[in-house]
Amino acid sequence: MSGRTPSKSERAASRRIAAAFLVSAAGAVGFAVTYGLNGGTQWEGVCLAVAFAGLAVGLAVWSRRLVPVGGYVEEHEGFVSPPAEQAMTAAVFRAPESPTRRWGLLAALGFALTALGVAALFPLRSLLPWDRQRPTRSLKDTPWGPGVRLVDDQGRPLRPDDVPADTMVAVFPEGSIDVGDAPAFAVRLNPERFIRQPAGGHLGGLVVWSLLCTHAGCPVRLYLKGAGRVLCPCHQSSFDLLAGARPIAGPAARPLPGLPIEVGPDGFLRATGDFTAPPGAGFWSRP
């Protein structure tokens, strides 16, 4: 027995459901493209919101408009229903959607779910060791590199004389002041007091280290003059700059990464490479 002809409202509901599933698929595709192009977490969130919202709307309309609902109460009139009621029950289970429309909606739903599943593979791909967006790989590659000049927070290039003795000066890579893993600090120490040579070397006692604590990535902004130590105010990790910036107190377990520097032909300080280790929280570099 074939289903009854769908009403105008049922056909409209079917179109809305299919449109919602297509919007969901478009959001999933947008997420994959945005992630692949490194378009930013904000747009990735917008695309995911569109994808899941479209899926939710489609399923909600389907359940409210096209799925038969119960709530029918009648007195029991025997163990065998009359033929007319049997026929009506069979029609309810086949209605209100025809096989063609039912398969069309299922295809739209399958397309939306497939697109979401494929989009989910893009973040998982970043866990592979050869992916360029893997967290451990991205943290090992900062804007510092050979020839990059050291500048202050106003973008002014620094000369060696701009770093007074026993004073901490915040420095940044030229053109990348706002990059989160790039901040460093320069300090001029007495090289005769070095217990351990700095990992990045020094220029007559002028040394540069990452500004990010190796415990949780907070800035180590407190400098103890005369002692050659810096302190992280977040969790009280302390680093001895005279001993290779190794941690001597607090939860930090790794020394601060050093930055190798030189004086360029123009007289300004330049990096000769990247940090000697990944900056910030230490768990990124653990197996």
Side-chain angles (χ1 to χ4, degrees):
M1 182 176 181
S2 61
R4 63 176 176 81
T5 302
S7 66
K8 183 177 180 180
S9 63
E10 292 168 351
R11 290 194 299 269
S14 298
R15 290 191 294 268
R16 290 198 298 271
I17 295 170
F21 289 156
L22 292 178
V23 169
S24 176
V29 173
F31 170 80
V33 173
T34 303
Y35 186 89
L37 298 178
N38 196 22
T41 55
Q42 293 85 354
W43 286 110
E44 292 172 3
V46 169
C47 292
L48 277 180
V50 171
F52 286 112
L55 187 63
V57 169
L59 292 176
V61 175
W62 196 338
S63 64
R64 290 177 61 87
R65 301 297 182 183
L66 299 185
V67 176
V69 296
Y72 304 106
V73 179
E74 61 180 358
E75 296 182 0
H76 190 274
E77 297 182 354
F79 293 99
V80 179
S81 300
E85 292 184 2
Q86 295 181 21
M88 183 180 300
T89 301
V92 167
F93 278 104
R94 291 188 176 92
E97 48 189 357
S98 65
T100 301
R101 186 173 66 256
R102 182 189 303 116
W103 285 113
L105 294 180
L106 290 176
L109 175 60
F111 179 61
L113 294 177
T114 301
L116 281 171
V118 172
L121 296 178
F122 280 76
L124 293 177
R125 183 198 62 184
S126 297
L127 300 178
L128 300 176
W130 56 81
D131 192 86
R132 298 185 64 182
Q133 295 188 27
R134 195 183 187 205
T136 52
R137 182 180 295 272
S138 63
L139 281 181
K140 292 179 181 178
D141 299 327
T142 73
W144 292 107
V148 178
R149 296 198 297 184
L150 280 66
V151 301
D152 61 14
D153 56 357
Q154 301 299 318
R156 294 186 293 259
L158 299 174
R159 300 179 184 272
D161 294 341
D162 294 326
V163 183
D166 209 23
T167 301
M168 181 178 178
V169 177
V171 297
F172 307 87
E174 188 173 29
S176 303
I177 294 179
D178 296 331
V179 178
D181 58 357
F185 69 92
V187 61
R188 186 183 298 277
L189 303 170
N190 183 354
E192 296 180 357
R193 299 181 60 194
F194 284 147
I195 301 174
R196 181 183 302 172
Q197 291 297 314
H202 66 94
L203 295 177
L206 179 60
V207 194
V208 180
W209 280 286
S210 170
L211 190 65
L212 305 181
C213 178
T214 54
H215 170 236
C218 298
V220 287
R221 293 189 175 276
L222 301 180
Y223 178 65
L224 304 179
K225 286 189 175 183
R229 297 177 180 177
V230 290
L231 177 69
C232 176
C234 292
H235 306 98
Q236 288 71 54
S237 292
S238 181
F239 301 87
D240 188 353
L241 303 183
L242 299 175
R246 66 180 179 88
I248 57 175
R254 290 191 306 136
L256 294 175
L259 182 70
I261 58 172
E262 65 178 1
V263 179
D266 53 2
F268 293 108
L269 293 170
R270 297 175 179 269
T272 61
D274 207 336
F275 286 120
T276 57
F283 61 86
W284 289 109
S285 60
R286 295 174 185 171

